[in-house]
Amino acid sequence: MTDWNAMSDAEFRKEVRGFLEAEYPEELRHLPHRPKFAEIEHWHRKLHTKGWVAPAWPAEYGGMGLNAAKLLIFYEEQQRWGVNRGRDMGVQMVGPLIIKFGTQKQKNYWLPRILSCEDIWCQGYSEPGAGSDLANLRTRAEIDGDDFVINGQKIWTTMAHDATHIFMLVRTDPDAPKKQQGISFVLAPMDQPGVEVRTITTLSGETEFCEVFFDNARTPRENLVGELNKGWTMAKALLSFERIFIGSPSLAQNALGQLESFARGRGAFDDPVFRDRFAQAALDVEDHAALYSRFADQLKRGETLGADVSMLKIWVTECFQRITELMIEAAGPDGGTVGPLQVGNVSVDVLASFYKARPTTIYGGSNEIQRNILSKAVLGLPD
Amino acid sequence: MQSSEQEEDLRLLRESARTLFDRAGGSGRSRKLRDAGGEFDPDMVRELGEAGVFGVAVPEEQGGLGMGLAAGGVIAEEVGRVIAPEPVVATIGLGLGLLRRLCPEHPKLEQLIGGEASLAVAWQERGPGGASADATCRYADGKLTGGKAWVVGAGGTQDFLVVAEADGGPVLVLAEASADGLVTTRRAQADGSSLGELSFSGTPAAELACGAAVQGALSEAVADATALAAAELVGLSQRAFEITLDYIKTREQFDKPIGSFQVIQHRAVDLNVMCEVAQAAVREVLMRMDGETDASIRARLASRAKARAVTAARKVTRDAIQLHGAVGYTDEFDIGLYLNRALVLSAWLGDDAYHRRIWFDAREEEGAAQ
Ligand SMILES: Cc1cc2nc3c(=O)[nH]c(=O)nc-3n(C[C@H](O)[C@H](O)[C@H](O)COP(=O)(O)OP(=O)(O)OC[C@H]3O[C@@H](n4cnc5c(N)ncnc54)[C@H](O)[C@@H]3O)c2cc1C
């Protein structure tokens, strides 16, 4: 097996770039929507054969075992080439959870199925009454023989209509003294009579998230991950990983690239005001990357990240939104037009980028919540 | 300053316009039309015409109500509040703005006021980086050749008013939507409406006016429409803010309404201040435009209004989504409709950055002239 980490950064980058440019299907570059699995399946097969589905997982579980520096390069190259993340909730969220907290049996069973996409996962955390206040979740799981019986409702479940399994936080002890206690982490199959999925249309007309209803749905007790009633701590452990991922420069960098070619094509750089605003955005992205690598270095040294990682997400998501506003400005009278706008030989879907940027300040812990975290946990401000 | 009599007239006008739109179904009507794939409702256009809505800014001697642009602004704000898809501002500002200045005797004027005719104005052309400064659409021997872009209300109109170039200078001509050699392509907009791209090849059209007066009337009409679009955005922002305010008072997280968190309270206050500034500025602009005859000053005023209104609408609609959380990102809640409509109205006739530039250049020119 190749030890990628032994390569120089430049060598590794060349390797990744070469593979993506040669193998990634042209028609899937810079996809403006979240694809269903069928749409990207042939690409996934290629990745799987190559052994590149899970760059961050240890090699013993079928991952590439990349260290933080190499991982960063891997993601940068993916973004640069407009490679779709694919249906990566399994790889990004369930896999790390099982690797960290799962039993050997769970690892043996689930991990290969995640890599092959035999199972496609969705994330069932949020509920109508449990958004920012996630600990308020009410969906119940009660033990009945060898099964959990699940009743309740999840919402905003991204791509649940195209998933085979859901990883969820459920309430297993309603009498626990604190909301955060009595929550467990379970895995459940979607294809069963007690699970009903209803898609929700977004304001841009896409159907990418859903409501999921559980009416005496069942999942075997062995699908509990970690200890009973200890789900909250585990979810939080996962979140810190999610926050560095969500705080990475990639989305903003990618949008900046699109803005640049679009604005150049439209002649927007003839205007000194626009040049200044572009330069501001470009420096916002570049300087964020400097802060990001400080955190990445911490990971490289094997340290765990503190609450201060939240600042990455705040900065980069708001920057991403400003970049898409600039795209709209550069589009001028076409700024309200749906679909790709052609300039010279580039085509940029300005509104698709704009819509994509909107919820980044809402999901993954809203930016208000991140600011609350920073002011309390980092600045030590009193309640 | 407004006289108290005029103020009372505008208040009554606002009340009756609001009642009319609310009775027709408010923003729910707009959603239904969009879902049905229709751009706007011809029956509603007739109803608005009967109520005198289109003629508010047309002088009395030309068959209007003679209440000025200030009254047009009142109507536009109400249109914005319910995000009505009918091209009310385009009709008051552009269609009627051109006809009443250039050919007040033409029967279309009366029909348009009465809501009995529809007329879309085609005046801009596409250049490499956006709107082109040079007109290439030609009119000769009773026929049009060339193209026009960003035509509001192109889908569903009976006729087009086209500004074209002829040998003797600019002309205003009337072409039927069904005329030979006219191809209309619709470009879908964020709010479910569309903008028309017209292509003429020997399309028959009737000349209504020609010469320098056409250019002058066009600039005036565009200034009117720009200021009225600003008013529409003001109404839209105000309503989007109200919806958001209701939401943060009722949505609970951490066992209290999210509106009890100080950061949310401050955000709400900022949005409120933004709405009030925009409303005051735009209403003042419309009133001053009514009393102003200098075309370049009127244009500068209109730019001031649009610049402010777009800035406010952007801030209000974006923050409104944020304060709603995930439900704000759905189509099921109305707030998204307001965001989408704001995108379209902001791009139409120039966004805030564009108008700030125009405003500054005009100010410099006026300074130099003094
Ligand atoms: C596109 C998208 C995809 C998503 N995908 C998934 C998914 O796959 N699985 C899943 O489980 N969830 C998913 N979510 C849900 C997401 O995690 C929630 O939207 C998020 O937790 C916020 O919750 P909420 O939407 O209920 O907003 P609320 O919590 O109701 O918040 C509304 C507003 O109030 C603010 N607010 C709340 N509390 C405070 C406070 N204490 N102080 C200051 N401000 C506060 C928020 O910041 C926000 O602006 C997704 C959401 C979106 C938009």
Side-chain angles (χ1 to χ4, degrees):
Chain A
M1 209 176 312
T2 326
D3 181 2
W4 305 108
N5 296 328
M7 281 186 174
S8 77
D9 284 359
E11 258 181 309
F12 178 68
R13 189 182 293 278
K14 202 166 145 234
E15 178 85 21
V16 175
R17 186 172 295 187
F19 176 69
L20 295 179
E21 290 188 358
E23 300 292 337
Y24 189 70
E26 184 62 31
E27 71 277 10
L28 294 182
R29 287 185 65 193
H30 299 291
L31 269 193
H33 60 273
R34 267 182 212 270
K36 285 198 164 185
F37 180 65
E39 208 180 329
I40 48 164
E41 181 170 359
H42 53 305
W43 165 241
H44 181 266
R45 297 270 165 258
K46 279 187 192 171
L47 266 183
H48 191 225
T49 310
K50 180 98 178 157
W52 281 16
V53 172
W57 292 12
E60 56 174 311
Y61 300 121
M64 291 171 80
L66 300 184
N67 64 28
K70 293 291 187 298
L71 197 56
L72 209 58
I73 292 171
F74 191 88
Y75 289 141
E76 274 169 15
E77 288 304 312
Q78 275 195 333
Q79 286 296 332
R80 182 189 150 272
W81 199 242
V83 175
N84 193 272
R85 283 169 48 181
R87 301 300 307 288
D88 64 354
M89 291 231 180
V91 168
Q92 298 292 0
M93 307 184 88
V94 189
L97 179 85
I98 293 174
I99 289 171
K100 198 160 176 175
F101 302 104
T103 60
Q104 194 56 46
K105 196 172 161 207
Q106 284 174 330
K107 289 178 193 171
N108 292 344
Y109 181 77
W110 294 109
L111 297 180
R113 299 167 64 97
I114 291 175
L115 292 175
S116 66
C117 268
E118 187 167 344
D119 298 336
I120 296 176
W121 289 88
C122 62
Q123 177 194 28
Y125 288 12
S126 307
E127 298 181 7
S132 297
D133 185 11
L134 184 57
N136 200 38
L137 61 92
R138 296 212 161 86
T139 298
R140 285 289 313 271
E142 285 164 290
I143 293 170
D144 177 32
D146 287 339
D147 286 347
F148 285 109
V149 177
I150 308 171
N151 282 289
Q153 181 195 352
K154 295 290 174 183
I155 196 168
W156 319 125
T157 325
T158 298
M159 299 304 280
H161 57 308
D162 189 43
T164 61
H165 290 74
I166 183 166
F167 61 102
M168 53 197 300
L169 288 173
V170 287
R171 193 156 296 282
T172 35
D173 178 7
D175 304 320
K178 282 182 70 187
K179 281 198 222 178
Q180 287 78 2
Q181 297 164 352
I183 293 175
S184 300
F185 220 119
V186 300
L187 314 175
M190 302 279 284
D191 184 13
Q192 57 167 310
V195 176
E196 199 188 317
V197 177
R198 188 181 76 89
T199 58
I200 302 173
T201 305
T202 67
L203 55 77
S204 59
E206 305 280 339
T207 43
E208 58 171 57
F209 52 30
C210 305
E211 280 177 287
V212 186
F213 300 92
F214 299 86
D215 179 13
N216 288 321
R218 301 184 88 88
T219 196
R221 271 178 78 171
E222 61 187 24
N223 285 349
L224 171 78
V225 183
E227 279 178 60
L228 194 68
N229 298 331
K230 292 283 157 42
W232 186 252
T233 343
M234 288 158 52
K236 285 194 101 171
L238 263 193
L239 269 184
S240 93
F241 170 76
E242 194 188 346
R243 279 187 187 146
I244 180 133
F245 185 67
I246 215 169
S248 90
S250 53
L251 278 175
Q253 273 167 348
N254 191 20
L256 188 74
Q258 289 199 313
L259 169 64
E260 178 162 10
S261 49
F262 183 68
R264 204 175 288 290
R266 300 281 289 206
F269 289 140
D270 295 346
D271 173 18
V273 179
F274 194 87
R275 283 207 297 268
D276 175 66
R277 312 218 337 184
F278 175 81
Q280 256 179 45
L283 294 178
D284 282 350
V285 173
E286 228 176 289
D287 298 345
H288 167 269
L291 184 65
Y292 180 80
S293 41
R294 214 161 82 185
F295 285 95
D297 286 345
Q298 255 175 283
L299 280 183
K300 260 189 263 179
R301 291 192 299 266
E303 299 166 17
T304 45
L305 297 177
D308 52 348
V309 69
S310 283
M311 60 181 73
L312 291 178
K313 193 227 169 190
I314 294 177
W315 184 282
V316 78
T317 52
E318 291 171 14
C319 175
F320 180 25
Q321 290 181 343
R322 286 193 298 274
I323 292 170
T324 64
E325 295 283 357
L326 278 178
M327 284 193 205
I328 290 179
E329 186 182 324
D334 296 316
T337 300
V338 174
L341 298 175
Q342 196 73 29
V343 272
N345 54 5
V346 290
S347 131
V348 176
D349 194 331
V350 167
L351 280 191
S353 293
F354 168 78
Y355 288 127
K356 193 169 170 182
R358 294 329 303 172
T360 60
T361 50
I362 297 172
Y363 60 60
S366 77
N367 285 24
E368 287 76 23
I369 295 298
Q370 309 287 356
R371 284 184 168 89
N372 287 348
I373 292 172
L374 287 173
S375 61
K376 295 279 170 320
V378 178
L379 303 183
L381 289 168
D383 261 323
Chain B
M1 264 299 285
Q2 260 170 318
S3 70
S4 58
E5 192 187 336
Q6 191 187 7
E7 228 170 276
E8 181 61 10
D9 286 348
L10 293 182
R11 195 185 61 77
L12 289 172
L13 182 69
R14 184 180 307 282
E15 251 171 39
S16 57
R18 189 165 299 182
T19 310
L20 195 158
F21 281 117
D22 282 348
R23 266 213 307 262
S27 58
R29 183 184 68 91
S30 313
R31 177 188 287 279
K32 273 196 212 123
L33 280 168
R34 185 205 61 175
D35 290 349
E39 307 233 338
F40 57 84
D41 177 9
D43 290 339
M44 187 67 184
V45 171
R46 257 188 303 278
E47 199 177 324
L48 291 169
E50 280 159 19
V53 157
F54 295 118
V56 284
V58 177
E60 276 171 296
E61 60 276 17
Q62 293 176 351
L65 296 180
M67 295 174 75
L69 270 190
V74 166
I75 301 293
E77 281 186 33
E78 295 308 312
V79 169
R81 284 184 66 86
V82 294
I83 48 172
E86 285 72 25
V88 175
V89 164
T91 302
I92 299 180
L94 295 177
L96 288 168
L98 284 169
L99 290 178
R100 75 178 166 88
R101 288 186 175 95
L102 291 169
C103 43
E105 306 298 325
H106 198 283
K108 280 279 169 213
L109 181 79
E110 195 187 326
Q111 292 167 11
L112 210 51
I113 292 175
E116 295 148 25
S118 53
L119 192 62
V121 178
W123 61 285
Q124 286 178 295
E125 293 184 21
R126 197 171 271 286
S132 163
D134 315 306
T136 58
C137 178
R138 297 277 308 163
Y139 181 69
D141 306 325
K143 292 194 161 71
L144 284 167
T145 38
K148 290 283 165 186
W150 303 296
V151 181
V152 171
T157 192
Q158 296 147 343
D159 296 288
F160 290 104
L161 262 188
V162 186
V163 179
E165 282 298 309
D167 283 341
V171 285
L172 181 73
V173 302
L174 187 70
E176 285 176 27
S178 58
D180 287 342
L182 167 53
V183 179
T184 306
T185 316
R186 292 204 219 166
R187 291 192 161 210
Q189 301 297 295
D191 62 350
S193 71
S194 70
L195 290 175
E197 305 262 320
L198 311 187
S199 149
F200 306 103
S201 45
T203 308
E207 182 173 321
L208 302 186
C210 66
V214 172
Q215 196 50 55
L218 178 63
S219 310
E220 293 262 1
V222 169
D224 290 356
T226 302
L228 292 174
E232 189 170 348
L233 280 167
V234 162
L236 179 155
S237 304
Q238 185 65 40
R239 184 68 198 126
F241 172 68
E242 290 165 11
I243 292 172
T244 307
L245 190 62
D246 281 346
Y247 189 77
I248 63 176
K249 282 179 183 169
T250 47
R251 166 68 173 169
E252 290 191 8
Q253 285 290 271
F254 306 100
D255 303 317
K256 11 178 144 106
I258 55 173
S260 67
F261 302 123
Q262 202 162 48
V263 60
I264 303 278
Q265 294 175 344
H266 288 192
R267 291 274 281 279
V269 169
D270 286 347
L271 298 188
N272 182 227
V273 172
M274 192 62 128
C275 284
E276 294 302 317
V277 168
Q279 188 194 72
V282 171
R283 287 186 184 176
E284 178 184 289
V285 159
L286 289 163
M287 225 157 37
R288 282 174 60 182
M289 285 176 76
D290 277 331
E292 181 59 64
T293 49
D294 184 319
S296 70
I297 296 179
R298 294 183 87 253
R300 173 161 66 75
L301 285 165
S303 284
R304 174 184 153 201
K306 187 86 195 299
R308 175 58 59 204
V310 172
T311 305
R314 177 184 309 111
K315 171 95 180 133
V316 172
T317 54
R318 303 326 187 241
D319 277 17
I321 302 295
Q322 181 69 22
L323 294 177
H324 274 76
V327 292
Y329 195 61
T330 68
D331 185 56
E332 289 168 22
F333 267 58
D334 274 359
I335 199 66
L337 302 182
Y338 283 79
L339 175 89
N340 282 331
R341 182 72 183 145
L343 283 169
V344 173
L345 282 174
S346 298
W348 185 48
L349 302 174
D351 67 4
D352 48 348
Y354 170 86
H355 280 291
R356 282 193 296 264
R357 271 164 231 160
I358 301 281
W359 181 88
F360 184 82
D361 291 347
R363 188 171 173 275
E364 290 289 284
E365 265 173 43
E366 281 166 33
Q370 269 161 19

